[in-house]
Amino acid sequence: MNLFGYWSPFGRFTRLQWWRFQIWAMFGIILVVFASINIANDTLRVGFVVLAVAIFLLTWMIVGLKRLHDRNKSAWWLALFYAVPFLLDASAY
């Protein structure tokens, strides 16, 4: 699978591809953390981290959507996986 296959909501995702994506995503997050430490300008650092998080979240959602599709589940389960923990965390404060 090429790199752009991760950003396309069409197609299928095997378990191996899913785990491979998870491992590379963790390396990407570690790289973003170390790269953001070395940015001296706070505004640039925040912009860089926000952009990286947006890219990671979008990619994770698309990969999750593909994996749920492979298991014959609706994409609404993805909303449940992301929305419920967020709402429970927000209600704690």
Side-chain angles (χ1 to χ4, degrees):
M1 171 177 286
N2 63 8
L3 184 62
F4 294 108
Y6 290 111
W7 290 310
S8 171
F10 305 107
R12 297 180 104 31
F13 233 55
T14 63
R15 275 188 240 165
L16 176 65
Q17 290 171 322
W18 187 81
W19 279 109
R20 191 179 298 149
F21 168 75
Q22 296 297 327
I23 291 169
W24 281 109
M26 287 300 130
F27 285 135
I29 289 172
I30 292 169
L31 181 70
V32 166
V33 167
F34 283 122
S36 67
I37 290 171
N38 293 325
I39 298 175
N41 187 347
D42 286 338
T43 306
L44 186 61
R45 179 183 310 154
V46 169
F48 175 71
V49 170
V50 166
L51 179 66
V53 167
I55 290 170
F56 281 129
L57 283 179
L58 178 66
T59 309
W60 257 314
M61 281 195 235
I62 292 173
V63 168
L65 178 121
K66 284 183 174 186
R67 195 62 197 137
L68 284 172
H69 172 71
D70 289 344
R71 305 214 44 216
N72 292 326
K73 303 285 184 201
S74 171
W76 285 105
W77 284 100
L78 194 64
L80 184 71
F81 293 151
Y82 283 104
V84 170
F86 175 76
L87 292 174
L88 289 174
D89 185 51
S91 68
Y93 298 104

